[in-house]
Amino acid sequence: MAIGGNDGVVRREKFRLSVCVLASGSRGNATYVSDGRTSILIDAGLSGKEIQRRMSANGLDPKQLDAILVSHEHADHIQGVGVLSRRFDLPVHINDATLQACENTVGRLARVRPFVCGESFPVGELNIHPFSISHDAEDPAGFTITGHGVKIGMATDLGVVTGMVRTHLEACDLLVLEANHDPQMLIDGPYPWPLKQRIRGRSGHLSNEDAALLLTELLHARLQHVVLAHLSEANNTSQKAHAAVSRALNGNAIQLHVASQAEGCGLLTID
Ligand SMILES: [Zn+2]
Ligand SMILES: [Zn+2]
């Protein structure tokens, strides 16, 4: 939108994208993205009430939400989807296989907007691109969100970084990346062996080292923020995740954040 400045010069109104990870981990995930006019939630894996509480705690108004995107049907990503959709009359963007896998759990949705992985769609002035990831769900998706010349990439819940994931996450200004476990802590930790194998497998979760390696491949001059997400409370610490990825950043002036289960990560704005 063109607006007139005091000096009489017409300039473009500046929209800034902001991102707030409200919760991250195996007990619930939800991330807020907004350009100030259109606001969306990517996953709603806590109770509706708790998501509203966390939004308010970050100065965000749940009534301003325009849509919910669902990455996959695991409980830690869908718990509040139905409640929030009904309470705020929100369309839910979800692919068919994911919806089939969770429709009994989420119940009636105010509106369903099916998407297909690989095909972009708009929500307001935001352009959403869902892409396939390797995880033990029916049709799991990562997302890129672009708008006003800014690109955000989100990839959690993936066992392996494929060429497609890497390509989609190129040239982002902000990345939310999974750093699920420290490999040694996972091996030494309390989980039964089959679960350890599932987490380490191609359909499981990325380790700190996987995230660090991916980041070295995605580094570029415009990358401002990296949020490490979906940390395991049993098999990782924020210090270990931060240290592993810091080494990979190798002195680059990128702001590195670690999202927690209890508090997520504060509101980040992309300049
Ligand atoms: Zn998850
Ligand atoms: Zn999952």
Side-chain angles (χ1 to χ4, degrees):
M1 187 189 302
I3 53 173
N6 291 338
D7 51 6
V9 177
V10 175
R11 57 174 69 88
R12 306 292 293 176
E13 185 178 338
K14 189 161 164 47
F15 286 94
R16 297 168 96 201
L17 261 67
S18 53
V19 175
C20 187
V21 177
L22 298 165
S24 188
S26 61
R27 289 190 290 118
N29 297 272
T31 299
Y32 166 93
V33 176
S34 178
D35 68 356
R37 267 212 302 230
T38 301
S39 303
I40 59 176
L41 278 182
I42 295 112
D43 291 329
L46 306 168
S47 71
K49 194 174 162 192
E50 179 62 11
I51 288 175
Q52 286 180 241
R53 190 192 70 73
R54 291 186 185 213
M55 286 186 70
S56 300
N58 283 283
L60 308 170
D61 182 358
K63 293 195 207 73
Q64 302 288 322
L65 285 170
D66 294 289
I68 303 174
L69 275 53
V70 178
S71 66
H72 66 295
E73 71 273 20
H74 289 161
D76 57 318
H77 297 261
I78 61 159
Q79 193 194 342
V81 169
V83 170
L84 292 176
S85 172
R86 292 186 292 274
R87 185 170 296 157
F88 298 109
D89 192 31
L90 296 175
V92 175
H93 296 265
I94 185 167
N95 64 38
D96 287 342
T98 302
L99 179 59
Q100 267 185 26
C102 70
E103 53 193 346
N104 291 337
T105 315
V106 297
R108 187 183 65 79
L109 299 174
R111 275 163 287 160
V112 175
R113 296 277 183 272
F115 69 72
V116 175
C117 281
E119 295 181 10
S120 300
F121 58 91
V123 179
E125 289 183 49
L126 301 175
N127 185 60
I128 317 294
H129 188 83
F131 55 93
S132 291
I133 55 174
S134 175
H135 189 52
D136 52 0
E138 291 300 325
D139 191 7
F143 296 103
T144 60
I145 299 159
T146 50
H148 316 289
V150 165
K151 181 178 178 186
I152 293 164
M154 293 199 57
T156 67
D157 298 72
L158 64 168
V160 66
V161 177
T162 60
M164 180 158 67
V165 168
R166 204 176 289 115
T167 302
H168 279 102
L169 296 180
E170 281 173 357
C172 285
D173 298 81
L174 182 149
L175 283 167
V176 179
L177 285 185
E178 173 160 54
N180 176 259
H181 57 275
D182 172 73
Q184 197 58 48
M185 279 185 77
L186 178 65
I187 289 168
D188 296 340
Y191 285 5
W193 183 243
L195 182 53
K196 291 180 183 182
Q197 282 179 309
R198 184 215 147 212
I199 292 169
R200 282 160 51 99
R202 290 183 63 81
S203 301
H205 292 278
L206 290 189
S207 71
N208 296 341
E209 280 67 20
D210 295 330
L213 178 61
L214 174 58
L215 209 48
T216 59
E217 295 167 331
L218 295 174
L219 284 176
H220 68 105
R222 269 191 23 227
L223 182 58
Q224 288 180 39
H225 296 279
V226 172
V227 182
L228 302 179
H230 218 296
L231 270 71
S232 166
E233 292 179 295
N235 304 310
N236 209 355
T237 66
S238 57
Q239 292 83 358
K240 280 186 190 292
H242 193 281
V245 174
S246 291
R247 279 193 293 278
L249 290 179
N250 199 20
N252 273 274
I254 291 166
Q255 295 184 51
L256 181 61
H257 316 267
V258 182
S260 71
Q261 184 71 81
E263 296 187 354
C265 172
L267 189 67
L268 305 175
T269 302
I270 301 163
D271 293 320

